[in-house]
Amino acid sequence: MDVVDLIATILMVIGLFFAFIGTLGILRMPDVFGRLQASTCISTMGTIFVVLSSIVYVVAHGMSGSVVVKLVFILLFVLGTNPVSNHALCKGAYRSAKPNPEPILDDYKEDDPQ
Amino acid sequence: MKGFKFSAWLSTAILCFLFWLLLTWSFAPRELILGVLVSAIVSAFASRFLIHSRAFYLYNPVRLVLLVFYCVIIFFWEVIKANVSMAALVLRPKLDYKPGILRIPADPELKSDYGLAMVSNCITLTPGTITMETAQDEEGRNYYYVHWIDVAETDRDKAGEAIKGTMERWIGRIWK
């Protein structure tokens, strides 16, 4: 096992660790908002480091440049679509779900911008 | 077609064609011709959703370099910091945190819709904060309503500094 494989493995382990943190957060958090927040870990840090690890592997093993481009596109699309769905879920949950624990301050309810 | 602008169409078509080139990864003539056709047709329908004003604003090398620098260095660093604090919160034996929804004032320099959307998406992408809404008050100032998982600062301005970090300043340099 040479140095490049070692680097790729370390990056992959970091990514999987944060995906694990996100999953653990989804299981442990008591309400929708906490779960949404924890799940962001998976789609940011998890995806970024898994893709970085794959890029290192692909470059080191001399595969075509198109594979790198496709990996970068995977990253961009995940990072581009995740906030949209997260924001919509958070707003929907705000209207229907009961927060637990209660928020200590809620400017949204006071101002009611819609 | 309603709302069709030639500059918006051209800008979207160039972007689509760049995507086509990167995905097919080939310069064979039939691929190029098919790519031009497909991107022209697609952008005729899609341009009015993608571009509303200043169609060629981002085709400026300085702004492109700033955008790449922002994504690779600034945003990456903010994501790492937020992820580590989120990991510390999740791994704590007893979960006790104080969630809250705060009204964060936006940078008055940042007027464009694209800039506001990019800042709110970047806030959502850092674990621990989710933008729920952006709103404008009577004097034309913009606000983000941010759900924060662990409120460390109840003063709105200081909380804004803590949540946005250096991201908004850099996006302000790109979008104005």
Side-chain angles (χ1 to χ4, degrees):
Chain A
M1 190 186 220
D2 56 357
V3 183
V4 187
D5 280 352
L6 191 67
I7 295 173
T9 314
I10 290 172
L11 288 174
M12 185 69 89
V13 166
I14 295 175
L16 292 182
F17 173 74
F18 278 96
F20 167 71
I21 292 288
T23 318
L24 195 68
I26 292 176
L27 291 175
R28 283 195 74 192
M29 290 288 181
D31 70 338
V32 185
F33 298 102
R35 288 183 183 142
L36 277 176
Q37 303 275 22
S39 72
T40 320
C41 272
I42 306 172
S43 52
T44 56
M45 203 73 160
T47 322
I48 288 174
F49 274 88
V50 169
V51 167
L52 274 183
S53 154
S54 317
I55 288 176
V56 168
Y57 186 86
V58 163
V59 169
H61 288 258
M63 290 182 209
S64 152
S66 67
V67 183
V68 178
V69 171
K70 275 162 198 156
L71 284 169
V72 173
F73 275 156
I74 292 174
L75 183 62
L76 284 183
F77 285 130
V78 170
L79 290 187
T81 49
N82 170 55
V84 181
S85 64
N86 243 3
H87 147 85
L89 281 171
C90 192
K91 250 178 100 173
Y94 182 83
R95 290 195 188 159
S96 55
K98 187 176 173 352
N100 166 40
E102 282 293 320
I104 59 167
L105 43 93
D106 192 345
D107 290 338
Y108 196 68
K109 189 183 269 173
E110 284 168 20
D111 298 355
D112 197 18
Q114 53 217 322
Chain B
M1 210 180 298
K2 215 177 103 202
F4 180 83
K5 282 206 201 73
F6 180 72
S7 59
W9 172 78
L10 189 61
S11 171
T12 319
I14 293 173
L15 196 68
C16 286
F17 189 59
L18 282 178
F19 262 66
W20 176 274
L21 280 185
L22 285 172
L23 279 176
T24 53
W25 204 254
S26 120
F27 288 97
R30 56 165 189 204
E31 299 274 5
L32 292 183
I33 292 168
L34 194 60
V36 169
L37 279 178
V38 168
S39 42
I41 294 169
V42 165
S43 51
F45 292 105
S47 63
R48 64 203 164 104
F49 302 114
L50 190 65
I51 289 168
H52 295 145
S53 60
R54 293 186 293 183
F56 290 96
Y57 189 73
L58 213 56
Y59 289 96
N60 178 333
V62 181
R63 293 196 187 107
L64 278 180
V65 169
L66 270 178
L67 186 66
V68 171
F69 176 79
Y70 165 78
C71 290
V72 174
I73 310 281
I74 311 284
F75 174 66
F76 190 47
W77 178 238
E78 294 285 337
V79 163
I80 289 178
K81 277 197 295 188
N83 266 284
V84 169
S85 61
M86 192 72 204
L89 187 121
V90 169
L91 289 176
R92 229 177 272 164
K94 189 179 180 310
L95 273 182
D96 55 333
Y97 56 90
K98 305 186 291 287
I101 299 170
L102 283 85
R103 185 185 59 242
I104 309 281
D107 191 351
E109 299 286 308
L110 197 70
K111 291 271 182 232
S112 77
D113 287 348
Y114 297 110
L116 285 171
M118 193 165 165
V119 173
S120 25
N121 279 355
C122 287
I123 290 173
T124 310
L125 268 178
T126 50
T129 46
I130 292 180
T131 315
M132 288 177 64
E133 180 115 41
T134 61
Q136 201 170 37
D137 66 0
E138 294 83 33
E139 284 120 62
R141 279 172 305 199
N142 291 298
Y143 293 97
Y144 311 109
Y145 288 87
V146 177
H147 182 274
W148 198 1
I149 189 82
D150 197 6
V151 177
E153 184 71 65
T154 49
D155 182 77
R156 271 43 165 194
D157 292 327
K158 283 184 193 152
E161 289 295 311
I163 288 176
K164 290 182 294 194
T166 51
M167 291 193 294
E168 190 170 47
R169 219 171 305 141
W170 279 96
I171 293 177
R173 275 172 214 170
I174 299 167
W175 290 107
K176 287 286 175 307

